[in-house]
Amino acid sequence: MLCRGRQRDRTMAKRYPLKPLKRFDYKLVEAKLDGLLFNVDRDLQRNIRHAESTNNMEASRCLSLLNVMLRFASNSYRAVRFVLADTPEEPARKPNYALIIAPVNRQLLDLLFSLVYMLDDFPTRSLQYHRAGWREASEEYHKFKSEFSRDPEWKAFFANFSKGLGQLAPLFRITEREKKNVKLIPYWKHPGELKDEQTSCRNFLRWLDKWLYADTSAQSHLSFGGLFMVSPFLVAELVGGQSQEIVENRMIHQYRFHQFSRTALVTLAIATEIDCYCNLGNREVIAYLWALFSEHAPEGKEMYGARYEEKLSSRSVA
C-alpha cells in the first residue's frame, strides 16, 4: 500500500532509485496491426461468399463464426486504443481510465481460450459452441416471454426472436427433442474448464490461464485481490507526497502500457490463430508484429514462445 509522510518518501527514493521509463513508439505497430485486421477480415468475407455460392453452409457457418470473433477483437482493440491515446491531446481522457481495460481484456482472453480450444477440432467444437449459444438464446426468449407475453408491445419482439431461433436450429443441428428440452444441450465451458480438457492446446491454455488470465479476471471481478492491485491509483491523491508522484508519474504509465499491450497481444493472437488456420497468407506481417512485441513487451516474448513461434513455422489447412 502507499505510505504517508514526505520524509519517508524521500528516504525511500534515495535508497531505491528508480530507473527512467522507456517510451514505446506505438506507430511502429499501429498501421501494421490495423492492416492485418483489415486483411484477415476481408479474406474471411471472401471465403464466406465462396462457401455460400457453392452452397457449403457448413463452411459458411465456421467461417462466419471466425469473422465475428475477429470483428469483436478488432472493435475492442480500437476502443481501448481510443481511450488510452496520447494524441490528439484530450483533457477529458484521464490516465486512471485505464482501469476499465482489464474487463475488456478478460473478454478478449475468454474469446482466445474458446478459439484456441475449438481450432483443435474446429468443425465439431464450433458446432458445440453454436449449439450452446442457441440454448442460451432460447432460455433468454422464454425468460422474457414468461414475464411479458401479455404485453402487446412485446409481440413483434417475440415473433422475430422465435423466427430467428427457428431459422438457426437446422444449421446448429438442434433436434425437436432438444427444442422441447434445451437442458439436453450442454453449456459451453469457461476458461477454467477448457484449460483442463484433454486436447493438444492444453499446455498453452494452462500457460494463458496462469500468466494472463488469473490477474485479469481478478481485476474484472473485483475480488479483494483485484481491487488491491488497482487501489494505489484510486487513493494516490489522498496519500499525497512522493508516493502520489510515483503513482501519477510512473505507476499509471506502466499500468497503461501493461493493459494496452495485453489488448494488442490478445488481438494479434486471435488474428494469428485465424490466419494460420485458414491459410490467409498474412504470416509475414504477423511475424513482424510478434517480433516487435517480443522486443518491447515481456508478455509478448513469452506468449510468442509459448505458441506462436512454432505455429508460424508450420502450416495448417482449414
Side-chain angles (χ1 to χ4, degrees):
M1 293 295 290
L2 297 176
C3 55
R4 292 181 181 270
R6 296 180 183 272
Q7 182 59 46
R8 183 176 180 183
D9 289 340
R10 287 194 290 269
T11 302
M12 295 292 286
K14 290 178 181 178
R15 188 177 300 173
Y16 304 106
L18 299 173
K19 294 181 180 179
L21 295 177
K22 294 181 180 179
R23 186 172 181 84
F24 174 50
D25 183 4
Y26 194 69
K27 291 189 181 298
L28 295 170
V29 171
E30 187 173 16
K32 291 283 189 182
L33 185 50
D34 281 345
L36 172 65
L37 296 173
F38 175 85
N39 289 338
V40 174
D41 179 64
R42 177 201 57 194
D43 294 342
L44 284 172
Q45 290 182 50
R46 184 181 63 243
N47 290 350
I48 290 168
R49 288 194 296 271
H50 175 73
E52 291 175 346
S53 69
T54 58
N55 203 34
N56 188 343
M57 301 313 295
E58 177 68 2
S60 176
R61 176 186 67 78
C62 292
L63 291 166
S64 295
L65 175 59
L66 294 177
N67 197 209
V68 171
M69 287 181 155
L70 178 80
R71 288 193 154 213
F72 183 90
S74 299
N75 184 73
S76 298
Y77 161 71
R78 292 189 175 100
V80 169
R81 188 175 69 188
F82 176 80
V83 170
L84 298 185
D86 293 320
T87 56
E89 291 188 11
E90 172 52 67
R93 289 192 184 105
K94 305 298 183 184
N96 273 8
Y97 289 172
L99 301 186
I100 71 167
I101 307 306
V104 177
N105 287 342
R106 160 69 189 280
Q107 288 182 318
L108 290 173
L109 285 164
D110 278 330
L111 188 70
L112 182 60
F113 263 91
S114 290
L115 177 61
V116 169
Y117 174 75
M118 276 191 278
L119 288 178
D120 281 351
D121 184 4
F122 192 62
T124 299
R125 293 179 181 177
S126 64
L127 182 61
Q128 294 169 355
Y129 183 81
H130 272 133
R131 284 167 53 81
W134 192 93
R135 171 184 173 171
E136 291 175 12
S138 179
E139 289 175 336
E140 187 82 352
Y141 169 79
H142 288 290
K143 179 181 74 175
F144 281 103
K145 192 169 184 181
S146 65
E147 188 71 22
F148 303 108
S149 60
R150 296 180 181 180
D151 189 334
E153 293 187 4
W154 285 77
K155 186 176 181 180
F157 170 80
F158 290 132
N160 291 330
F161 205 149
S162 179
K163 181 180 178 181
L165 288 172
Q167 290 174 337
L168 290 173
L171 184 62
F172 299 160
R173 303 177 197 175
I174 308 296
T175 67
E176 291 300 322
R177 185 163 172 253
E178 288 168 337
K179 289 179 185 178
K180 294 176 182 177
N181 182 10
V182 296
K183 292 181 180 179
L184 296 173
I185 305 171
Y187 286 124
W188 185 251
K189 291 180 172 63
H190 58 72
E193 295 171 315
L194 291 178
K195 71 179 176 61
D196 293 325
E197 289 289 299
Q198 295 294 332
T199 189
S200 61
C201 66
R202 185 182 188 187
N203 288 340
F204 177 67
L205 293 184
R206 288 186 165 186
W207 178 89
L208 202 62
D209 178 72
K210 180 178 181 179
W211 294 107
L212 270 72
Y213 192 77
D215 68 289
T216 302
S217 182
Q219 291 183 55
S220 301
H221 285 298
L222 284 186
S223 64
F224 178 68
L227 191 61
F228 183 79
M229 291 178 199
V230 300
S231 61
F233 309 115
L234 302 172
V235 301
E237 65 184 275
L238 303 179
V239 175
Q242 191 168 6
S243 291
Q244 180 181 1
E245 293 177 13
I246 291 174
V247 169
E248 294 179 351
N249 298 327
R250 184 182 183 88
M251 290 176 61
I252 189 59
H253 299 296
Q254 293 173 308
Y255 183 86
R256 289 171 76 235
F257 177 80
H258 185 217
Q259 291 300 323
F260 180 63
S261 65
R262 279 193 177 181
T263 307
L265 281 168
V266 178
T267 301
L268 174 59
I270 290 168
T272 302
E273 295 287 347
I274 294 171
D275 187 87
C276 290
Y277 179 76
C278 296
N279 288 324
L280 299 179
N282 297 293
R283 294 196 180 201
E284 184 175 345
V285 68
I286 289 173
Y288 168 85
L289 288 166
W290 278 112
L292 266 181
F293 278 120
S294 295
E295 181 180 352
H296 295 283
E299 287 183 343
K301 183 177 182 180
E302 294 163 4
M303 198 172 186
Y304 179 65
R307 181 167 175 87
Y308 296 107
E309 183 175 17
E310 180 179 358
K311 180 170 280 292
L312 290 171
S313 66
S314 63
R315 295 197 65 82
S316 302
V317 179

